[in-house]
Amino acid sequence: MNKFIKEYLVVAQNASGRNMNVPLYRFIGTLPGPKVYIQSSIHGAEVQGNVVIYHLVQWLKTLPICGEIILVPNCNPVGTNIKAGEYTLGRFDPVNGTNWNRGYFFDEKLVQQFAQEVTNDETIPDIKCKFRQQIKQQIQQKLEQEWGLGLAQRLNLKLQQLAFDADFVLDLHNGPVSTRHIYVPEYARKAAMSFNIPHVILIPNVFSGALDEATFCPWWTLQELLSAKRQTSIDFGVEAFTLEMGSQEVISFNDGEYDAKSIMAFLSAKGSFLSHSFEPELMRRIAVTLNNYKILYTQQGGIVEYLAQPGELIKKGQVLARVLNVDTLEDERATTDIVAPCDVIAILHFPSASVLSGTQLYKCFTEFFELEASP
């Protein structure tokens, strides 16, 4: 039977000096296997991942595993508790204005230096162990630096210390009004076939501050450097993904069970389970490269009716949304149709009907294609 440990991680202190904790649910199997790290709600309004983790906890209490699985629900209690009326304003650190998902650590020069120091007789397990120790040491030094850190970055780095030990890292998110989609590093595109997620964004080896990038960019970079140095293909078997599981500010236990099964299917494919296998659904998966995941901005402000629903295919010239201008209700300028500039799949849209000019109205797939099991 799995060993179960529940711990608490201090991620911040409030103005009264009281610690703000997040729970860690740790399941350790009886046999060796991969280490998995899953967190949810780094953005306070994106709460569905907590329901997904709830279902995972129920299954892992009785389902034997290999290796270790760490689950961290509601990993940002500060963001979760920032409310303005009916809405959760948990996307940015309220003190410094930083996106809660942009304070993780990556230093490409450190990876390059590490690769130069690796000797030809060092094994893959030895390299992984030493690399993890070095990265976590760098993170600890940043946490202890004399000038301190902003709230968001400190929280991010504490979570990253846990995540960087893992072979597979899943960061659970939601869009504003959204269909399911997943960010997948290009080198791990086959893994997308193991999730029950119909829309896939393939992302390059570029760090923009998010947890998935902070996980895969160091390993991807090190793989490329050592493969060139040793003149053979090297794979450290480390992958990280951002899963977007529908819309923010709402939860569904039924949808949570579906997404938990999706994650279990991925983990089954990676050898996390001793005697049980979860299979991914047979479904069409549509992919796009990150540069073809486009934002459609509004040219004018007004009140918007969103006609294109998340997940819907819209042909070039078809109407995505209609804008009402209350300043010109008496003539033909009262309404404006916003049309698709090309064939698109609407993935998510702005959550409010009231918009300013320059608002990110829709995010869309363009130049999309069907993802195959073998590229």
Side-chain angles (χ1 to χ4, degrees):
M1 185 57 64
N2 305 327
K3 181 180 179 181
F4 171 65
I5 303 171
K6 184 177 181 181
E7 305 167 292
Y8 289 92
L9 176 69
V10 178
V11 295
Q13 283 187 330
N14 63 21
S16 300
R18 295 187 179 93
N19 288 341
M20 302 187 75
N21 304 321
V22 297
L24 273 64
Y25 298 87
R26 192 187 300 266
F27 294 88
I28 303 172
T30 56
L31 293 176
K35 189 169 185 177
V36 179
Y37 175 88
I38 303 174
Q39 73 175 32
S40 66
S41 293
I42 192 65
H43 292 137
E46 300 176 20
V47 291
Q48 177 64 17
N50 299 314
V51 183
V52 177
I53 289 179
Y54 160 77
H55 286 290
L56 292 174
V57 168
Q58 306 317 305
W59 291 334
L60 292 174
K61 286 192 295 185
T62 58
L63 189 63
I65 65 169
C66 301
E68 183 176 353
I69 299 176
I70 299 175
L71 306 168
V72 188
N74 196 35
C75 68
N76 179 9
V78 182
T80 302
N81 286 286
I82 301 172
K83 305 290 288 189
E86 301 169 356
Y87 300 98
T88 306
L89 303 181
R91 189 167 186 83
F92 300 97
D93 169 0
V95 178
N96 304 304
T98 309
N99 186 321
W100 288 111
N101 193 38
R102 292 295 183 272
Y104 298 99
F105 168 76
F106 171 60
D107 185 345
E108 186 171 359
K109 290 182 180 179
L110 186 152
V111 181
Q112 293 169 347
Q113 180 180 348
F114 181 88
Q116 291 175 357
E117 296 172 354
V118 172
T119 61
N120 288 331
D121 60 343
E122 289 184 274
T123 66
I124 297 298
D126 289 340
I127 295 171
K128 289 177 69 174
C129 182
K130 190 163 76 171
F131 189 55
R132 284 189 167 120
Q133 288 176 348
Q134 188 166 127
I135 295 296
K136 290 191 296 179
Q137 183 180 29
Q138 290 292 318
I139 294 172
Q140 187 61 35
Q141 289 176 3
K142 290 183 72 66
L143 285 167
E144 294 173 353
Q145 66 186 25
E146 188 174 10
W147 289 90
L149 294 169
L151 179 60
Q153 189 176 20
R154 175 169 290 278
L155 183 146
N156 284 170
L157 293 179
K158 286 194 172 187
L159 296 171
Q160 188 179 357
Q161 281 186 314
L162 289 170
F164 205 76
D165 260 339
D167 301 295
F168 305 108
V169 173
L170 307 182
D171 195 7
L172 310 186
H173 285 252
N174 297 95
V177 179
S178 175
T179 188
R180 288 183 178 90
H181 55 291
I182 183 172
Y183 290 85
V184 176
E186 289 177 346
Y187 75 89
R189 67 163 61 194
K190 290 182 181 179
M193 305 301 292
S194 297
F195 293 97
N196 300 329
I197 299 178
H199 301 104
V200 179
I201 303 167
L202 300 171
I203 55 179
N205 188 21
V206 176
F207 179 69
S208 300
L211 178 63
D212 58 346
E213 300 157 349
T215 303
F216 72 68
C217 282
W219 294 106
W220 189 346
T221 303
L222 186 60
Q223 283 178 180
E224 292 181 326
L225 292 171
L226 292 184
S227 294
K229 182 177 181 178
R230 294 186 172 184
Q231 296 185 331
T232 185
S233 179
I234 291 176
D235 183 358
F236 289 113
V238 178
E239 299 172 355
F241 311 91
T242 294
L243 283 64
E244 304 272 358
M245 300 170 302
S247 304
Q248 64 189 28
E249 292 278 42
V250 295
I251 69 168
S252 164
F253 279 86
N254 287 337
D255 288 346
E257 184 175 9
Y258 176 89
D259 287 312
K261 288 179 179 177
S262 171
I263 290 172
M264 297 290 260
F266 167 76
L267 296 181
S268 288
K270 298 302 181 180
S272 289
F273 298 113
L274 183 61
S275 58
H276 196 291
S277 179
F278 291 79
E279 296 293 333
E281 292 190 1
L282 294 175
M283 63 189 304
R284 190 167 180 245
R285 294 170 176 83
I286 303 300
V288 70
T289 55
L290 184 61
N291 62 306
N292 287 316
Y293 185 40
K294 301 290 189 181
I295 300 172
L296 180 67
Y297 295 91
T298 53
Q299 301 292 335
Q300 65 281 317
I303 304 171
V304 177
E305 179 184 7
Y306 298 94
L307 299 173
Q309 299 305 305
E312 185 178 356
L313 171 63
I314 305 295
K315 293 291 188 178
K316 179 179 180 178
Q318 288 185 336
V319 179
L320 285 163
R322 182 163 296 143
V323 183
L324 176 66
N325 185 341
V326 298
D327 218 27
T328 57
L329 296 181
E330 74 280 5
D331 59 36
E332 69 278 0
R333 295 175 298 165
T335 63
T336 303
D337 287 345
I338 298 177
V339 302
C342 62
D343 290 356
V344 304
I345 297 175
I347 299 298
L348 58 85
H349 66 69
F350 193 67
S352 174
S354 300
V355 300
L356 300 170
S357 60
T359 295
Q360 294 186 12
L361 198 69
Y362 277 93
K363 287 189 177 181
C364 302
F365 279 16
T366 68
E367 303 296 329
F368 43 86
F369 54 92
E370 186 166 355
L371 191 66
E372 303 292 342
S374 299

